[in-house]
Amino acid sequence: MDTSTSQEFAVVGTRPIRHDGFDKVTGRALYGADIRFPGLLHGRVLRSPHAHARIRSINLASAQALPGVKAIVTARDLALGSMSDAESQQTSSGFRYLSDNVLARDKVLYRGHAVAAVAAVNPHVAEQALNLIDIDYEVLPAAVNVLDAIKEDAPLLLDDLVTEELGTPSETRSNVAKHFRFEKGNVKKGFSEAELVVHRRFNTATVHQGYIETHNATALSSSDGTVTIWCSTQGAFNVRSTTAQLLNITESRIRVVPMEIGGGFGGKINVYLEPVAVLLSQKTGSPVRVLMTRGEVFEGTGPTSGTFMEIQMGMDRTGRITAAELDLYYEAGAYPGSPVSAGAQCALAPYNLENARVDGYDVVVNKPKTAAYRAPGATTSCLAVETVIDELCDGLNLDPLKVRFLNGVREGDRRVDGPVYRKIGYIETLEAVRDHPHWSAPVGGSNRGRGLATGFWFNGSGPSSCYITVNSDGTVSLVEGSTDIGGSRASVAMQAAEVLGIPAESVKPIVADTDSIGYTSVTGGSSVAFKTGWAAYEAAQDVIVQMTERIARIWETEIDKIGFSRGVFKSATDQSQTMTFKQLAGMLLKTGGPITGRANVDPGGAGPTFAAHIVDVQVDKETGKVDILRYTAVQDCGKAVHPSYVEGQIQGGVAQGIGWALNEEYAFNEIGEMSNPTFLDYRMPTSLDLPMIDCVLVEVANPGHPFGVRGVGEVPIVPPPAAVANAIANAIGIRLTELPMSPGKVLEGIWGITTNGRTA
Amino acid sequence: MGEPRRMAEVWIPPMMQALSGGNVRVRVAGATVRQIVNNLEDLHPGLKALLYDEESDRLKPQIAVVVDGDVSQLGLLERVGEESEVHFLPAIGGGSDPFLESIRISTTNCDYSVTTIQPRILDN
Amino acid sequence: MSVKQRVQVRINGEDTEFLCESRQSLLEVLRENLGLTGTKEGCNDGNCGACSVVFDGRLVDSCLVLAVETDGKSVETIEGMAQPDSLHPLQESFLENAALQCGICTPGLLMASKALLEKEPNPSEERIRLWLAGNLCRCTGYDKVVRAVMDAAKKMKVG
C-alpha cells in the first residue's frame, strides 16, 4: 500500500463537523454524572486525612443510623478484604495494591486514600454520613518526597516491597520499587572528549491531569448477579476486567457502558469508583451513582510523578554530544509504577549518542498513586536534557537548532536503548522550525527571550475491534469500542469513509458497550487513530469485499471482473455498468440481505512522533511573572486525518505543558497534606494566560498504517516546560531547575537564592 | 555441510549482560520470539527467568519485545526472521494501565509473610 | 426530611416550579431536580465556570447560587440556546472551528460567550480572553475557542 503523503485522499485530511458535535454544543450529550434512574442512590467516599496511618478501627454505627443512609462498604467487602492471610498470600502484589487503592484494608498511604463509601438518598445525606463514620487511626511518619523516601531510615510504606535491583528482586525492603539502567558505549571516555560538561539537578513538583469532569461511576447490580456499570472512562473493557477481579465476579456478568467523558489524559484509565458503586448497589439493590468532588480528584486520584533528576552532558566544540548521564528518581505515589522507564527511554531519543547511561528509580512516597498523564514520564526527563543541551550551546556559542540537526536521529539510526528507527520525522520537524517565520523573527524588547526544545513519544497500539453495517440509504453505522476523549470517533469514521468512498457525514460512529463490541484496549498511548483506524479500515475493506460479491451476483458476473474505486463499482468487461456504493446499499435487502463488515486487530507498526517547539516569553523581573508571547509547535503527524483535531491535540498538550512549566503544583506540607486541592490554587492556564498556539503539521507518513497515521496526542506536552525554561534563560540569563517556574521561583533565581531545600 | 544458517541478532539489555558474559549482541536461532528466548537460555542460562513468566506463559509484563524496529503486540508469538534484530526493553505505558498488567501474574515481589492486622469494624 | 421550599422561576422562557431544600445550589437543582444536565459541575466552588448560566440577566456560576434565590426570577441555560430548527451562531461557530474536544466545558463557554457578545458585539481577542478567563478548558488551549467567538461575532454582525 502506498503510504506516501502524496497520496490523494477524498476524506482523510479534510475537516468535517464531528459527528457528536451537535449533542455537545446543545448540552444533550450524556456524560457519566448526567445519568439518572428512578430510585437512584447517591454515593460518596470517605478518605483518609492522614498521609500515612494504620487503621485501628472503623465505627459505622452512627453513620448507619442517619436517616437516608442505605449502605456503607469498606475493604472487607472487596474480594481481597474477605480473604484470609493464607489466601491473600497467593495473590499478586499488583492485585493487592490495586484493591487497597480502591478501598484501604489496614493502612492508608496518602491523604485522600479511600477507606469507606456510603450510599444515601441524596448527596447531602451521604456527605453527612461520611462525617459520622468514626475511624481510629494510628498516625505514622510519612515519606513525602522522593529524596526523603530513599533515605535509609525512611518510613517504609509497603510491607511486601523489595527493590528490584537491576532486574532481579533483592532482599532489601525499601521504598525503591525498582532500579534499572540503560547503558551504551563508555560515558567516561565520552566526557573526556567534551569541550564543555554541564551538570545539573532538577526538582519537579507533582502535577495533575486536571480534567474538568470529576470521576463518576453508576452501577446497578441485579438479583440475578448481572451488573451494569455506566461511567466516564478511557477503557470500558479495563473497567470490566478490573471490577471483576476486585469483586470476584465473573467478567461476563458485567456490562460496562461508557458514557461521554469530560477529559482523561491518562487519569481516567485507572479504576477507582466502579467497584465501590457495584458494592453499594449489591447491598442496596438500587442503582447507585458515586461521584468525586474536585478536592477528591486532587487528593484521591493519580497525578503524575514529582521528580528529582540529576544530569550530566558533554559536548565538543562542533556541537556533538559526546556523553550523557541521567539519574531519574520518579515518585510512584503510594504504590509502585511511576513512568520512570518511559522517561528514561524518551529523554535521549532524539539524539544519536555513542555514550550514554540512564539510571531510573521508581520510588513509593506517601502521595496518591500516580496515574498516566499524557506521555507519562517524558516531560520531566525532557526538561533535564533539553535545558542542559541549551546551556551547553550557550557555553560553546553554538546555535541550538544546528546542534539538534547535528545530533538528530534519522531513519536507520539507533535509539539509545537499542532499537533501530524506521521512518521518522525528527529532521523534518527541525527543518520546519528553521523555515518558520517565528524562528527568524526578532525577539524584540528587554527581558524577552526565545527558547527551543524538542521531544519524543513512542505511540502505542493494542487490540481493537470494529464493525460496519450498511444502511439502505447508503450511510453506514460504524461501531467501535474506543471511548472518545478528544474527537477520535470522527477520525475513525473518516478512515472508514475513505475506504468506502462515501462522505464522512455518511458514517455514523457509535462507541459501544462491552457486550456490543469486541475487546478494545484503552484509549491512551496516542493509539486510537492508529489501532481503531486500522480496525475501521479493515472492517470497511470487509464491507467492500461483501458488496463486491453482491454486485457480482446482481450483474451475474465474477468477482474478479469488478473493480471498486472512490465509491463506485465498475464492471471490467462492460464500461457502462457502474453502480455507486449508495445505489448498491439500497438494493441489499432485496438481493440477499444486509451486509456488515467486521475486523479485529492488534496492529504492530505504530510509528513514534517527534515535536519541536519555539516559545517567546517576557519576564517581569519585579514580580517574577512570565508571559508567553508567542508559541509555535511543530510536530510530525504522519498523516493528519482531521487536521483541526490534530491541531487541537497539539494546542491542548502545549497548554498543559505551559501550566506544568509555570504554575501547576501540588503544594504539600511536611506531613503530606495538599494545601491547594482546588482550581483556585491549583493554577491551570486560563484563556488569559495563553496566546494563540500556532501549529505546523509535518507529515512523514508512518509506513505501518494504510493512511500513514501516527499518534499525535501525547508528544505535544513533552517540550513545553523545557522550551519555556530555555526562553527564560534567554530572556534574563537565569537557569531555573525547578518546576513550576512560578513567580516566586523566578524571583529567587534572580536574587540568587536556592529554593525549597529540595536539592540533594 | 552447507553455509552456516543465518541467525537473528538479539540485543541483551544492559542489566542482563552479566548473564550473557558481557555480550551486548548474541546470535540466536529461532523462528519465533518464544524459540529465541528458549535458545537464548541454552546459550546463557538465567536470562529466560528475567524475560519470561511461567505462570502466564507470556513475556513478563514489564518487558516489551521489539522485532526489526517495531514493538510487537504478539510477544512470544511474533515471528523472527533470519536477519531480524530483536530487542527486549521495558514496556512503557503511554496511557495504559500498569496495574492491569501486574494482576495477570501471580508472582509476588518477595516472601509475603506479613500478617495483615485488619481493623475492627463496628456496625449495627 | 428537611423542609422543602417552593420556587417559581422562568427557565429558558418557560415558567417552572419545583420544590427544593434551601441547601441545594441552582446547579444541583437544574441537574437533579429538573433534569437539565447540560450545565456541568467541575469544581462546585466557583473556579471553573463549567456551571455558567445567566441568572437574572447576569452570567453566574450556578454552583454559587442557591436555588431558592431564583424565586420569581429568570434563568437561561445551554438548553435554551438553540432554536428548535437551528443552532445559535456561536454553537455553529464552535463546531466549524473545532472549538471543543471532550466538550465538558463547552456549555459553560457558550453561555459565557453569548453573554459577552450580547454586551460587546465586536470584542477584540484580548477582551474575549479576559471575559472567558472564568471558564477553564483543559483540552483545547483556548486557541480555537477564541477564534470561534471572533467568527461568530462577525457572523452575528452581518446576519
Side-chain angles (χ1 to χ4, degrees):
Chain A
M1 71 199 148
D2 175 13
T3 58
S4 66
T5 50
S6 58
Q7 249 188 302
E8 277 292 305
F9 295 117
V11 177
V12 167
T14 62
R15 301 176 191 244
I17 304 288
R18 59 191 280 173
H19 302 74
D20 57 327
F22 180 88
D23 284 348
K24 294 211 161 132
V25 297
T26 53
R28 294 243 179 92
L30 291 178
Y31 295 79
D34 299 333
I35 202 157
R36 300 157 73 238
F37 290 116
L40 182 72
L41 296 177
H42 300 261
R44 284 289 308 277
V45 174
L46 179 66
R47 299 178 182 276
S48 164
H50 304 293
H52 195 192
R54 210 167 277 288
I55 306 172
R56 285 207 201 99
S57 67
I58 304 178
N59 193 334
L60 305 175
S62 312
Q64 283 166 329
L66 181 69
V69 170
K70 299 299 180 188
I72 306 183
V73 296
T74 63
R76 72 172 167 180
D77 298 296
L78 295 171
L80 180 63
S82 56
M83 283 185 199
S84 66
D85 279 336
E87 285 170 322
S88 68
Q89 278 177 44
Q90 301 302 312
T91 62
S92 72
S93 54
F95 171 77
R96 291 195 299 279
Y97 297 156
L98 177 51
S99 183
D100 284 341
N101 199 40
V102 169
L103 284 170
R105 273 179 305 159
D106 58 332
K107 262 182 96 172
V108 289
L109 295 175
Y110 54 98
R111 181 178 155 93
H113 198 157
V115 182
V118 170
V121 293
N122 68 51
H124 300 277
V125 172
E127 193 175 326
Q128 279 178 303
L130 295 185
N131 293 331
L132 294 175
I133 297 176
D134 187 16
I135 305 194
D136 184 19
Y137 290 106
E138 178 196 334
V139 181
L140 303 169
V144 178
N145 64 55
V146 69
L147 294 175
D148 292 330
I150 60 177
K151 289 194 184 126
E152 280 234 347
D153 56 348
L156 294 176
L157 271 70
L158 298 165
D159 297 327
D160 63 345
L161 185 64
V162 293
T163 308
E164 188 188 287
E165 180 69 33
L166 300 182
T168 36
S170 70
E171 301 277 302
T172 329
R173 281 190 61 209
S174 158
N175 289 326
V176 179
K178 194 159 47 160
H179 170 211
F180 65 86
R181 172 178 296 156
F182 294 119
E183 233 174 338
K184 184 182 186 192
N186 183 337
V187 284
K188 238 177 139 171
K189 172 170 160 296
F191 283 121
S192 70
E193 294 166 2
E195 175 77 14
L196 178 62
V197 173
V198 167
H199 177 204
R200 285 274 180 195
R201 292 192 179 117
F202 291 83
N203 280 308
T204 70
T206 307
V207 295
H208 196 273
Q209 301 83 350
Y211 32 81
I212 305 298
E213 177 201 46
T214 66
H215 291 254
N216 59 70
T218 306
L220 177 58
S221 179
S222 311
S223 48
D224 65 350
T226 56
V227 174
T228 313
I229 300 173
W230 297 262
C231 57
S232 299
T233 176
Q234 291 178 240
F237 288 88
N238 182 35
V239 170
R240 186 178 74 171
S241 47
T242 306
T243 304
Q245 299 251 2
L246 294 185
L247 301 184
N248 204 15
I249 301 176
T250 311
E251 200 172 300
S252 56
R253 310 221 107 211
I254 301 178
R255 178 170 72 111
V256 178
V257 181
M259 308 291 288
E260 298 295 343
I261 173 174
F265 315 110
K268 288 198 179 134
I269 292 172
N270 295 40
V271 168
Y272 299 107
L273 296 179
E274 291 83 349
V276 170
V278 173
L279 285 176
L280 290 171
S281 183
Q282 283 174 339
K283 280 206 166 174
T284 58
S286 299
V288 180
R289 187 178 75 197
V290 189
L291 300 179
M292 284 196 199
T293 63
R294 178 52 51 184
E296 287 182 270
V297 172
F298 280 119
E299 294 188 297
T301 70
T304 193
S305 309
T307 72
F308 170 73
M309 302 180 288
E310 190 157 0
I311 175 174
Q312 189 159 248
M313 284 180 91
M315 192 178 278
D316 70 20
R317 70 180 61 188
T318 72
R320 188 176 64 91
I321 301 170
T322 60
E325 266 190 326
L326 276 103
D327 286 280
L328 306 173
Y329 294 82
Y330 278 33
E331 294 174 356
Y335 301 99
S338 76
V340 63
S341 40
Q345 290 172 273
C346 288
L348 300 168
Y351 307 114
N352 232 337
L353 301 178
E354 270 180 35
N355 310 301
R357 174 190 67 76
V358 182
D359 274 57
Y361 299 83
D362 183 38
V363 184
V364 296
V365 294
N366 289 111
K367 287 177 175 170
K369 163 85 194 81
T370 54
Y373 179 19
R374 207 162 197 164
T379 303
T380 41
S381 60
C382 171
L383 171 75
V385 169
E386 293 295 301
T387 54
V388 167
I389 289 179
D390 198 67
E391 194 171 353
L392 286 164
C393 291
D394 252 354
L396 294 172
N397 211 12
L398 296 166
D399 177 289
L401 185 60
K402 295 208 174 102
V403 164
R404 300 311 195 295
F405 270 112
L406 179 63
N407 294 280
V409 286
R410 296 157 170 79
E411 183 177 1
D413 283 341
R414 209 166 266 293
R415 227 163 67 192
V416 171
D417 54 330
V420 171
Y421 279 113
R422 304 230 309 205
K423 202 159 170 57
I424 51 173
Y426 185 58
I427 298 300
E428 286 83 348
T429 58
L430 297 178
E431 285 167 352
V433 167
R434 179 196 62 202
D435 299 337
H436 196 279
H438 187 175
W439 186 246
S440 41
V443 173
S446 58
N447 300 325
R448 286 191 181 186
R450 177 165 300 155
L452 168 76
T454 66
F456 168 87
W457 184 252
F458 312 84
N459 299 330
S461 183
S464 191
S465 308
C466 179
Y467 60 88
I468 297 176
T469 305
V470 182
N471 301 317
S472 331
D473 61 355
T475 64
V476 304
S477 301
L478 185 156
V479 182
E480 46 118 334
S482 288
T483 55
D484 184 351
I485 57 178
S488 54
R489 91 195 76 183
S491 165
V492 171
M494 288 168 73
Q495 295 183 54
E498 185 70 46
V499 173
L500 299 174
I502 59 181
E505 294 77 8
S506 295
V507 179
K508 207 162 131 177
I510 297 157
V511 177
D513 66 55
T514 54
D515 281 352
S516 308
I517 186 67
Y519 184 89
T520 302
S521 45
V522 299
T523 295
S526 308
S527 61
V528 173
F530 177 77
K531 72 191 179 204
T532 306
W534 253 117
Y537 175 86
E538 292 206 348
Q541 298 285 11
D542 190 18
V543 166
I544 299 302
V545 165
Q546 295 180 58
M547 301 276 269
T548 306
E549 287 164 0
R550 186 63 60 88
I551 207 170
R553 185 188 299 168
I554 294 171
W555 287 343
E556 295 174 34
T557 179
E558 273 92 53
I559 297 170
D560 55 2
K561 301 272 195 318
I562 297 166
F564 176 76
S565 169
R566 300 262 185 210
V568 182
F569 294 92
K570 289 196 175 81
S571 162
T573 49
D574 183 351
Q575 300 282 36
S576 65
Q577 267 204 319
T578 67
M579 192 181 296
T580 66
F581 184 94
K582 185 171 172 168
Q583 287 167 329
L584 180 55
M587 299 175 68
L588 291 182
L589 293 180
K590 297 208 182 96
T591 59
I595 285 182
T596 299
R598 67 153 177 81
N600 303 100
V601 303
D602 191 358
T609 298
F610 290 93
H613 291 190
I614 316 166
V615 62
D616 288 357
V617 304
Q618 172 149 338
V619 182
D620 183 328
K621 290 179 87 164
E622 282 191 22
T623 62
K625 184 163 194 282
V626 176
D627 281 316
I628 309 287
L629 299 175
R630 185 175 178 183
Y631 205 106
T632 304
V634 181
Q635 183 170 321
D636 170 21
C637 303
K639 176 66 195 167
V641 175
H642 192 312
S644 300
Y645 287 100
V646 172
E647 289 159 1
Q649 288 294 311
I650 294 175
Q651 291 163 339
V654 166
Q656 287 177 314
I658 290 173
W660 196 333
L662 293 179
N663 295 96
E664 294 179 37
E665 63 176 318
Y666 271 50
F668 283 103
N669 62 18
E670 56 303 327
I671 55 171
E673 294 171 341
M674 182 187 185
S675 44
N676 61 335
T678 70
F679 277 144
L680 181 65
D681 295 314
Y682 182 86
R683 179 73 168 77
M684 301 190 331
T686 68
S687 53
L688 201 51
D689 296 313
L690 301 169
M692 294 296 187
I693 299 166
D694 293 326
C695 304
V696 178
L697 309 185
V698 173
E699 289 182 325
V700 177
N702 171 18
H705 183 279
F707 303 127
V709 166
R710 279 181 207 278
V712 299
E714 287 172 284
V715 77
I717 203 178
V718 179
V724 172
N726 289 342
I728 292 173
N730 186 246
I732 58 172
I734 308 284
R735 291 263 164 209
L736 296 169
T737 58
E738 291 207 18
L739 290 186
M741 297 175 287
S742 48
K745 298 260 184 51
V746 172
L747 289 177
E748 286 173 346
I750 292 172
W751 300 335
I753 63 183
T754 58
T755 61
N756 292 354
R758 287 188 71 205
T759 49
Chain B
M1 184 132 109
E3 258 184 31
R5 246 189 68 214
R6 293 201 192 92
M7 294 196 284
E9 185 180 76
V10 178
W11 288 59
I12 308 292
M15 299 194 304
M16 301 180 194
Q17 284 166 16
L19 287 171
S20 68
N23 288 322
V24 176
R25 289 183 269 182
V26 181
R27 289 249 165 230
V28 182
T32 64
V33 171
R34 184 196 294 283
Q35 291 175 19
I36 293 281
V37 170
N38 287 336
N39 293 338
L40 190 59
E41 177 69 7
D42 288 340
L43 290 172
H44 298 292
L47 277 175
K48 183 169 171 177
L50 298 178
L51 298 170
Y52 170 76
D53 174 65
E54 182 106 27
E55 180 127 5
S56 62
D57 187 32
R58 288 160 56 132
L59 287 174
K60 292 199 160 177
Q62 60 265 41
I63 300 283
V65 62
V66 178
V67 179
D68 296 324
D70 274 329
V71 176
S72 164
Q73 298 296 114
L74 296 174
L76 292 172
L77 301 178
E78 187 71 40
R79 291 201 183 282
V80 177
E82 285 178 346
E83 305 276 316
S84 285
E85 204 180 276
V86 179
H87 295 256
F88 293 104
L89 292 182
I92 55 100
S96 71
D97 187 357
F99 275 172
L100 188 63
E101 286 304 319
S102 63
I103 286 180
R104 292 215 181 96
I105 3 161
S106 307
T107 54
T108 56
N109 271 350
C110 76
D111 242 321
Y112 179 55
S113 57
V114 176
T115 312
T116 311
I117 304 169
Q118 301 263 26
R120 293 175 298 135
I121 301 193
L122 310 155
D123 56 359
N124 293 335
Chain C
M1 190 154 7
S2 25
V3 172
K4 290 213 166 84
Q5 306 226 48
R6 191 175 98 174
V7 174
Q8 291 171 304
V9 55
R10 176 168 285 230
I11 298 185
N12 297 327
E14 296 277 329
D15 288 328
T16 314
E17 192 176 283
F18 55 82
L19 290 175
C20 71
E21 297 177 32
S22 40
R23 64 181 168 183
Q24 287 182 280
S25 67
L26 174 59
L27 173 64
E28 186 187 335
V29 165
L30 283 173
R31 291 176 54 78
E32 303 302 323
N33 297 44
L34 300 174
L36 295 169
T37 56
T39 308
K40 307 297 180 190
E41 176 179 323
C43 67
N44 212 29
D45 54 24
N47 285 308
C48 75
C51 65
S52 301
V53 299
V54 171
F55 168 44
D56 218 28
R58 271 181 65 202
L59 182 70
V60 298
D61 286 328
S62 55
C63 67
L64 296 180
V65 176
L66 292 175
V68 293
E69 288 182 66
T70 65
D71 191 38
K73 305 215 158 106
S74 74
V75 173
E76 290 159 50
T77 72
I78 183 70
E79 286 88 350
M81 194 163 173
Q83 295 304 309
D85 58 352
S86 61
L87 292 175
H88 188 281
L90 270 168
Q91 289 169 312
E92 276 176 358
S93 189
F94 267 54
L95 288 178
E96 281 156 20
N97 283 279
L100 58 144
Q101 286 177 39
C102 80
I104 196 87
C105 70
T106 303
L109 274 170
L110 283 168
M111 295 304 294
S113 308
K114 178 163 176 275
L116 170 64
L117 294 185
E118 279 167 7
K119 244 179 70 142
E120 286 176 46
N122 195 18
S124 64
E125 178 188 334
E126 204 188 319
R127 282 294 294 164
I128 295 172
R129 288 186 179 278
L130 177 62
W131 186 270
L132 295 182
N135 290 80
L136 289 180
C137 173
R138 197 55 162 168
C139 292
T140 66
Y142 308 100
D143 181 299
K144 293 179 189 297
V145 170
V146 173
R147 289 182 201 278
V149 176
M150 295 198 291
D151 249 6
K154 276 199 216 107
K155 273 199 214 118
M156 282 162 72
K157 215 163 48 152
V158 172

